[in-house]
């Protein structure tokens, strides 16, 4: 008999002994075995604002063997993810990473790292997520000013400049794609305003990345965050984030530490931010399987190309809008500012 084989009799004896010990120990448990439902998720066509259905190729990658979060292969994989994210964001920012968490974690990472107590922070509110930025910023001690528009509308460049002249913010935040309304905020000209008023620019791109034209560098965006569960067709769990050199300079020059240990991007930069797979230091255990999923989702973007992907979303959305009109339904957002990735309809 092979020294690595266990005789059937020995196996039965061991099993019986284990059951005896388990019964004896059950009397020490204060919580009994729960009665739960059978684990069998139904198949749904997800048509809400998110999450959407994940691409089959993306789901399949999540079942691949895991490696360690400091394994050389994982660090190489991270460099590929960062390069692919730069393409999707249309940026050359060195610090472009997936945050371990959903889009809200990347949103809070922007606020926590870009804001110090007392910083003047101007936030555009034309939907739910502008209000969320206000909530987060207040928790980090920002001196908050807001500019407001009815939900479904966007800010004109003149309105933005008037508020910047009035409030003189250090940081301006605009929601590029407002998930609660389906409105797309124009960014043309905002870069020049931020240069004029020496102001950092934050953009919420959760519902726009890969589905709507997005040009982080061209628009002068300093800090941007996105989600995976919308146009990227990936489950939620990691969130794209990018900081410009100007944003990194502010981060590294902070007078006080970032008030959120988990989302402190100075610390995370030494873990997954280093170029070329260089020396890393441990910060947290990255979600390996979610990174596999994001890698495949970004590969699909690369294969299709952004131009084709943007055009596909626009074409499908316009066909949908036409059919809504034919049955007498009206969209909330004016067509020139409507997101092709998310449609809101007025209730009759």
């Amino acid at each position: 008999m092979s020294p690595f084989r266990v005789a059937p009799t020995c196996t039965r004896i061991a099993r019986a002994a284990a059951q005896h010990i388990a019964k004896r120990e059950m009397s020490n448990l204060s919580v009994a075995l729960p009665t739960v439902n059978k684990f069998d998720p139904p198949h749904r066509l997800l048509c809400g604002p998110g999450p959407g259905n994940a691409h089959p190729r993306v789901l399949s990658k999540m079942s691949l063997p895991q490696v360690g979060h400091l394994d050389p292969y994982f660090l190489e994989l991270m460099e590929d993810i960062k390069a692919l994210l730069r393409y999707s964001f249309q940026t050359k920012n060195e610090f472009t990473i997936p945050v371990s968490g959903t889009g809200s974690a990347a949103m809070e990472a922007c606020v926590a790292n870009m804001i110090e107590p007392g910083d003047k922070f101007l936030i555009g509110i034309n939907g739910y997520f502008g209000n969320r930025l206000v909530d987060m910023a207040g928790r980090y001690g920002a001196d908050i000013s807001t500019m407001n528009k009815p939900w479904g509308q966007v800010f004109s460049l003149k309105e933005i400049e008037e508020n910047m002249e009035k409030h003189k913010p250090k940081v301006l935040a605009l929601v590029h794609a407002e998930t609660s309304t389906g409105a797309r905020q124009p960014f043309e000209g905002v870069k020049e305003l931020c240069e004029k008023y020496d102001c950092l620019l934050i953009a919420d791109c959760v519902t726009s990345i890969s589905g709507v034209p997005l040009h982080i560098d061209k628009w002068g965006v300093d800090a941007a965050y996105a989600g995976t569960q919308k146009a990227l067709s990936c489950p939620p769990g990691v969130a794209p984030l990018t900081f410009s050199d100007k944003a990194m300079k502010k981060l590294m020059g902070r007078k006080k530490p970032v008030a959120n240990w988990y989302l402190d991007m100075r610390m995370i930069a030494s873990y997954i931010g280093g170029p070329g797979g260089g020396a890393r230091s441990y910060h947290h255990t990255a979600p390996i399987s979610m990174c596999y999923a994001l890698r495949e989702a970004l590969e699909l973007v690369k294969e299709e190309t952004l131009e084709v992907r943007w055009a596909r979303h626009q074409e499908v959305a316009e066909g949908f809008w036409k059919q809504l009109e034919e049955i007498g339904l009206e969209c909330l957002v004016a067509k020139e500012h409507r997101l092709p990735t998310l449609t809101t309809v007025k209730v009759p």
Side-chain angles (χ1 to χ4, degrees):
M1 183 176 66
S2 167
F4 298 104
R5 287 189 61 194
V6 178
T9 301
C10 294
T11 302
R12 288 193 295 271
I13 293 172
R15 187 182 299 117
Q19 290 172 347
H20 174 73
I21 294 171
K23 288 179 181 179
R24 185 182 66 194
E25 293 298 325
M26 281 180 65
S27 61
N28 296 323
L29 298 178
S30 59
V31 179
L33 283 171
T35 300
V36 297
N37 296 319
K38 181 181 179 182
F39 181 49
D40 186 19
H43 291 277
R44 306 280 197 219
L45 176 60
L46 301 177
C47 296
N53 293 100
H55 194 284
R57 275 175 52 183
V58 172
L59 290 177
S60 70
K61 296 300 181 183
M62 296 182 72
S63 65
L64 294 177
Q66 294 184 11
V67 296
H69 59 281
L70 289 172
D71 188 294
Y73 175 79
F74 181 70
L75 299 180
E76 291 175 6
L77 176 80
M78 187 59 64
E79 292 304 309
D80 288 342
I81 291 173
K82 287 154 63 177
L84 290 165
L85 280 176
R86 291 186 190 104
Y87 173 69
S88 291
F89 270 131
Q90 283 297 284
T91 183
K92 295 179 181 178
N93 291 342
E94 179 61 37
F95 191 81
T96 302
I97 67 166
V99 174
S100 299
T102 62
S104 293
M107 173 191 275
E108 185 159 358
C110 277
V111 175
N113 287 268
M114 293 297 102
I115 295 296
E116 289 197 77
D119 280 354
K120 291 186 176 182
F121 190 14
L122 176 60
I123 300 170
I125 302 176
N126 59 342
Y128 177 84
F129 289 96
N131 285 316
R132 179 174 289 185
L133 282 165
V134 171
D135 189 355
M136 288 182 179
R139 296 168 189 243
Y140 289 98
D143 179 0
I144 302 168
S145 300
T146 63
M147 50 184 182
N148 297 269
K149 295 284 283 190
W151 284 33
Q153 296 184 22
V154 299
F155 297 96
S156 69
L157 198 59
K158 181 182 178 182
E159 289 170 328
I160 296 171
E161 180 164 22
E162 287 174 350
N163 279 274
M164 293 184 75
E165 174 63 33
K166 178 180 178 181
H167 299 293
K168 302 292 194 301
K170 283 190 175 181
V171 183
L172 166 68
L174 296 171
V175 179
H176 179 232
E178 179 51 79
T179 307
S180 65
T181 67
R184 173 168 48 176
Q185 172 64 47
F187 268 70
E188 289 79 8
V190 180
K191 172 185 177 181
E192 289 71 22
L193 291 181
C194 288
E195 290 173 348
K196 177 179 178 180
Y197 292 96
D198 191 22
C199 175
L200 288 174
L201 177 58
I202 293 177
D204 180 325
C205 309
V206 169
T207 310
S208 54
I209 190 169
S210 89
V212 176
L214 177 62
H215 302 278
I216 295 301
D217 286 356
K218 186 186 296 184
W219 294 343
V221 176
D222 294 295
Y225 54 91
T228 55
Q229 72 275 19
K230 316 285 188 179
L232 282 174
S233 299
C234 179
V238 288
L241 176 74
T242 186
F243 285 174
S244 70
D245 290 344
K246 186 178 178 182
M248 290 301 292
K249 183 178 180 181
K250 177 172 174 57
L251 173 60
M252 296 304 178
R254 291 177 62 100
K255 297 181 178 67
K256 293 186 177 181
V258 175
N260 186 316
W261 183 91
Y262 184 68
L263 297 175
D264 186 341
M265 292 299 131
R266 292 181 302 180
M267 300 172 68
I268 292 177
S270 66
Y271 171 34
I272 60 175
R280 314 292 175 110
S281 62
Y282 168 71
H283 179 263
H284 69 279
T285 303
I288 308 300
S289 296
M290 276 307 309
C291 289
Y292 290 173
L294 177 58
R295 171 66 176 80
E296 187 66 9
L298 294 169
E299 181 68 26
L300 289 166
V301 176
K302 174 176 174 285
E303 290 174 6
E304 187 175 13
T305 74
L306 282 173
E307 295 91 340
V308 173
R309 197 175 182 93
W310 294 339
R312 172 171 59 83
H313 278 86
Q314 190 67 38
E315 180 182 359
V316 171
E318 290 188 4
F320 180 50
W321 300 336
K322 184 178 180 181
Q323 291 184 28
L324 289 174
E325 185 178 350
E326 289 174 355
I327 62 173
L329 293 177
E330 182 183 358
C331 291
L332 174 67
V333 181
K335 190 172 182 180
E336 63 268 25
H337 298 136
R338 196 179 299 164
L339 282 169
T341 50
L342 192 149
T343 299
T344 46
V345 179
K346 292 183 179 180
V347 177

